[in-house]
Amino acid sequence: MKIFLDTADINEIREANSWGILDGVTTNPSLVAKEGKDIMRRVGAPNVVIKIPMIREGLRAIRTLSSEGIRVNTTLIFSAPQALLAAKAGASFVSPFVGRLDDISHVGMDIVRDIRAIFDNYDYKCEILAASIRNPLHVVDAARLGADIATMPFSVLEAIIKHPLTDIGLQRFLKDWEKLPQQMRKG
Ligand code: E4P
Protein backbone atom coordinates (compact mmCIF):
# COMPACT_ATOMS: atom_id res chain seq x y z
CA MET A 1 0.00 0.00 0.00
CA LYS A 2 1.28 3.46 -0.87
CA ILE A 3 1.56 5.98 1.94
CA PHE A 4 0.65 9.62 1.34
CA LEU A 5 0.90 12.53 3.74
CA ASP A 6 -2.22 14.68 4.09
CA THR A 7 -0.80 18.14 4.73
CA ALA A 8 0.14 21.56 3.41
CA ASP A 9 3.19 21.83 5.68
CA ILE A 10 6.39 21.64 3.64
CA ASN A 11 8.49 20.76 6.71
CA GLU A 12 6.31 17.72 7.44
CA ILE A 13 6.70 16.62 3.81
CA ARG A 14 10.50 17.05 3.95
CA GLU A 15 10.72 15.13 7.24
CA ALA A 16 8.50 12.20 6.14
CA ASN A 17 10.26 12.06 2.78
CA SER A 18 13.62 11.72 4.54
CA TRP A 19 12.35 8.49 6.16
CA GLY A 20 12.18 6.86 2.73
CA ILE A 21 8.58 5.66 2.97
CA LEU A 22 6.60 8.52 1.42
CA ASP A 23 4.86 7.89 -1.91
CA GLY A 24 2.93 11.13 -2.30
CA VAL A 25 1.08 14.02 -0.72
CA THR A 26 -2.56 15.10 -0.65
CA THR A 27 -3.89 18.41 0.52
CA ASN A 28 -7.14 20.36 0.62
CA PRO A 29 -8.32 23.95 1.09
CA SER A 30 -8.74 23.52 4.87
CA LEU A 31 -5.13 22.33 5.28
CA VAL A 32 -3.85 25.13 3.04
CA ALA A 33 -5.84 27.75 4.98
CA LYS A 34 -4.41 26.41 8.24
CA GLU A 35 -0.89 26.73 6.85
CA GLY A 36 -1.54 30.22 5.48
CA LYS A 37 1.11 29.95 2.74
CA ASP A 38 0.87 30.61 -1.00
CA ILE A 39 0.04 27.11 -2.24
CA MET A 40 0.27 28.03 -5.94
CA ARG A 41 3.98 28.80 -5.51
CA ARG A 42 4.54 25.41 -3.89
CA VAL A 43 2.58 23.18 -6.25
CA GLY A 44 4.55 23.59 -9.45
CA ALA A 45 5.51 20.00 -10.06
CA PRO A 46 4.48 18.20 -13.28
CA ASN A 47 3.02 15.18 -11.48
CA VAL A 48 0.11 16.98 -9.84
CA VAL A 49 -3.27 15.20 -9.72
CA ILE A 50 -6.38 17.41 -9.75
CA LYS A 51 -8.98 16.88 -7.02
CA ILE A 52 -12.57 17.11 -8.20
CA PRO A 53 -15.53 16.81 -5.81
CA MET A 54 -18.13 14.08 -6.30
CA ILE A 55 -20.93 16.20 -7.75
CA ARG A 56 -22.69 16.25 -11.16
CA GLU A 57 -20.47 18.97 -12.57
CA GLY A 58 -17.55 17.06 -11.11
CA LEU A 59 -18.39 13.97 -13.17
CA ARG A 60 -18.49 16.06 -16.34
CA ALA A 61 -15.15 17.63 -15.43
CA ILE A 62 -13.62 14.20 -14.72
CA ARG A 63 -14.73 12.94 -18.13
CA THR A 64 -13.29 16.00 -19.89
CA LEU A 65 -10.01 16.08 -18.00
CA SER A 66 -9.38 12.34 -18.16
CA SER A 67 -10.04 12.31 -21.92
CA GLU A 68 -7.31 14.97 -22.19
CA GLY A 69 -4.94 12.75 -20.22
CA ILE A 70 -5.16 14.80 -17.01
CA ARG A 71 -5.32 12.63 -13.91
CA VAL A 72 -8.14 13.26 -11.44
CA ASN A 73 -8.66 12.30 -7.81
CA THR A 74 -12.38 12.30 -7.00
CA THR A 75 -12.69 13.67 -3.51
CA LEU A 76 -15.47 13.70 -0.91
CA ILE A 77 -16.55 10.11 -1.65
CA PHE A 78 -18.91 8.78 1.02
CA SER A 79 -20.47 5.74 -0.70
CA ALA A 80 -19.45 2.88 -2.98
CA PRO A 81 -21.77 3.83 -5.87
CA GLN A 82 -20.26 7.32 -5.89
CA ALA A 83 -16.87 5.66 -6.38
CA LEU A 84 -18.29 3.49 -9.19
CA LEU A 85 -19.50 6.59 -11.04
CA ALA A 86 -16.19 8.37 -10.57
CA ALA A 87 -14.29 5.37 -11.98
CA LYS A 88 -16.69 5.15 -14.95
CA ALA A 89 -16.15 8.85 -15.65
CA GLY A 90 -12.40 8.17 -15.87
CA ALA A 91 -11.01 9.15 -12.46
CA SER A 92 -7.54 7.84 -11.68
CA PHE A 93 -8.21 7.89 -7.93
CA VAL A 94 -11.22 7.89 -5.61
CA SER A 95 -10.94 9.19 -2.05
CA PRO A 96 -13.40 7.62 0.39
CA PHE A 97 -13.40 9.75 3.57
CA VAL A 98 -13.26 7.06 6.22
CA GLY A 99 -12.90 9.17 9.37
CA ARG A 100 -15.75 11.53 8.53
CA LEU A 101 -18.08 8.52 8.12
CA ASP A 102 -16.92 7.12 11.46
CA ASP A 103 -17.69 10.56 12.95
CA ILE A 104 -21.36 10.10 12.08
CA SER A 105 -21.59 6.48 13.28
CA HIS A 106 -21.05 4.77 9.91
CA VAL A 107 -18.20 2.31 9.58
CA GLY A 108 -16.07 4.18 7.08
CA MET A 109 -13.97 1.16 6.13
CA ASP A 110 -17.08 -0.66 4.89
CA ILE A 111 -17.10 1.48 1.79
CA VAL A 112 -13.41 0.82 1.17
CA ARG A 113 -14.25 -2.92 1.22
CA ASP A 114 -17.18 -2.42 -1.18
CA ILE A 115 -15.22 -0.22 -3.56
CA ARG A 116 -12.37 -2.77 -3.65
CA ALA A 117 -14.82 -5.55 -4.56
CA ILE A 118 -16.54 -3.44 -7.26
CA PHE A 119 -13.30 -2.26 -8.86
CA ASP A 120 -11.91 -5.82 -8.84
CA ASN A 121 -15.12 -7.24 -10.37
CA TYR A 122 -14.84 -4.95 -13.36
CA ASP A 123 -11.09 -4.51 -13.42
CA TYR A 124 -11.24 -0.74 -12.99
CA LYS A 125 -7.73 0.67 -12.88
CA CYS A 126 -8.89 3.55 -10.65
CA GLU A 127 -6.90 3.56 -7.38
CA ILE A 128 -8.57 3.59 -3.97
CA LEU A 129 -7.08 6.34 -1.83
CA ALA A 130 -8.33 5.86 1.73
CA ALA A 131 -8.66 9.40 3.11
CA SER A 132 -9.66 11.07 6.34
CA ILE A 133 -7.46 8.57 8.16
CA ARG A 134 -7.45 9.42 11.85
CA ASN A 135 -5.42 6.71 13.63
CA PRO A 136 -3.04 3.75 13.13
CA LEU A 137 -5.90 1.22 13.13
CA HIS A 138 -7.37 2.97 10.10
CA VAL A 139 -4.05 2.40 8.34
CA VAL A 140 -4.08 -1.31 9.23
CA ASP A 141 -7.68 -1.68 8.06
CA ALA A 142 -7.01 0.16 4.80
CA ALA A 143 -4.07 -2.15 4.09
CA ARG A 144 -6.03 -5.30 5.06
CA LEU A 145 -8.89 -4.32 2.76
CA GLY A 146 -6.62 -3.65 -0.19
CA ALA A 147 -6.75 0.12 -0.48
CA ASP A 148 -4.08 1.19 -2.97
CA ILE A 149 -3.12 4.25 -0.92
CA ALA A 150 -3.75 5.63 2.55
CA THR A 151 -3.30 9.36 3.09
CA MET A 152 -2.76 10.46 6.67
CA PRO A 153 -1.77 13.42 8.82
CA PHE A 154 1.85 13.62 10.00
CA SER A 155 0.71 12.77 13.55
CA VAL A 156 -0.66 9.39 12.39
CA LEU A 157 2.51 8.62 10.45
CA GLU A 158 4.56 9.39 13.57
CA ALA A 159 2.25 7.24 15.70
CA ILE A 160 2.76 4.27 13.38
CA ILE A 161 6.52 4.36 13.90
CA LYS A 162 6.30 4.37 17.66
CA HIS A 163 5.82 1.43 19.98
CA PRO A 164 6.59 1.59 23.72
CA LEU A 165 8.16 -1.88 23.64
CA THR A 166 10.52 -0.76 20.86
CA ASP A 167 11.66 2.18 23.02
CA ILE A 168 12.02 0.02 26.15
CA GLY A 169 13.85 -2.67 24.19
CA LEU A 170 16.27 -0.16 22.67
CA GLN A 171 17.05 1.42 26.06
CA ARG A 172 17.77 -2.05 27.49
CA PHE A 173 20.11 -2.96 24.60
CA LEU A 174 21.97 0.34 24.94
CA LYS A 175 22.33 -0.06 28.71
CA ASP A 176 23.58 -3.65 28.37
CA TRP A 177 26.01 -2.61 25.66
CA GLU A 178 27.52 -0.08 28.09
CA LYS A 179 28.07 -2.90 30.61
CA LEU A 180 30.46 -4.69 28.24
CA PRO A 181 34.17 -4.12 28.83
CA GLN A 182 35.63 -1.38 26.61
CA GLN A 183 37.79 -3.95 24.80
CA MET A 184 34.79 -6.06 23.71
CA ARG A 185 32.86 -3.04 22.46
CA LYS A 186 35.63 -2.24 19.97
CA GLY A 187 35.06 -5.65 18.31
C1 E4P B 1 -7.98 13.75 1.64
O1 E4P B 1 -7.35 13.92 0.63
C2 E4P B 1 -8.43 14.82 2.56
O2 E4P B 1 -7.56 15.91 2.43
C3 E4P B 1 -8.40 14.42 3.99
O3 E4P B 1 -8.00 13.08 4.16
C4 E4P B 1 -9.57 14.85 4.80
O4 E4P B 1 -9.37 14.43 6.12
P1 E4P B 1 -10.23 15.01 7.36
O5 E4P B 1 -11.57 14.37 7.35
O6 E4P B 1 -9.43 14.64 8.57
O7 E4P B 1 -10.30 16.50 7.15
Side-chain angles (χ1 to χ4, degrees):
M1 183 175 73
K2 284 177 266 188
I3 290 183
F4 282 17
L5 202 56
D6 198 29
T7 188
D9 183 334
I10 200 82
N11 293 320
E12 289 182 350
I13 297 168
R14 283 204 182 102
E15 176 64 18
N17 195 41
S18 76
W19 301 340
I21 45 79
L22 193 62
D23 299 296
V25 176
T26 52
T27 195
N28 65 45
S30 308
L31 293 168
V32 172
K34 196 175 94 187
E35 205 52 32
K37 303 268 166 51
D38 182 357
I39 192 73
M40 298 317 277
R41 284 164 59 105
R42 295 182 168 205
V43 185
N47 57 345
V48 166
V49 174
I50 310 296
K51 268 188 179 179
I52 303 275
M54 182 57 217
I55 54 176
R56 288 181 195 199
E57 295 78 5
L59 286 175
R60 287 190 202 110
I62 294 166
R63 171 59 67 202
T64 304
L65 292 172
S66 63
S67 65
E68 290 172 13
I70 297 168
R71 291 188 302 160
V72 171
N73 172 3
T74 313
T75 194
L76 294 167
I77 294 274
F78 291 97
S79 76
Q82 284 184 322
L84 174 62
L85 292 185
K88 284 185 75 73
S92 300
F93 304 87
V94 287
S95 289
F97 275 40
V98 173
R100 293 193 195 184
L101 281 168
D102 286 0
D103 289 345
I104 58 161
S105 306
H106 284 258
V107 180
M109 282 297 165
D110 282 353
I111 70 162
V112 173
R113 182 185 292 106
D114 288 345
I115 297 168
R116 180 75 283 153
I118 292 166
F119 284 8
D120 288 351
N121 279 349
Y122 299 102
D123 205 21
Y124 283 123
K125 298 301 173 214
C126 183
E127 293 189 61
I128 303 171
L129 195 166
S132 190
I133 294 282
R134 301 273 169 79
N135 56 58
L137 282 182
H138 275 159
V139 180
V140 174
D141 286 341
R144 275 194 319 122
L145 294 172
D148 299 287
I149 307 156
T151 189
M152 62 202 76
F154 189 77
S155 57
V156 173
L157 198 51
E158 268 189 318
I160 293 172
I161 296 173
K162 285 185 187 163
H163 195 289
L165 290 179
T166 303
D167 296 340
I168 292 167
L170 180 60
Q171 285 313 312
R172 194 176 296 164
F173 284 153
L174 289 171
K175 245 170 91 183
D176 289 343
W177 181 253
E178 291 303 319
K179 287 180 197 161
L180 292 175
Q182 193 77 343
Q183 204 52 38
M184 278 179 71
R185 278 191 259 161
K186 282 184 186 152

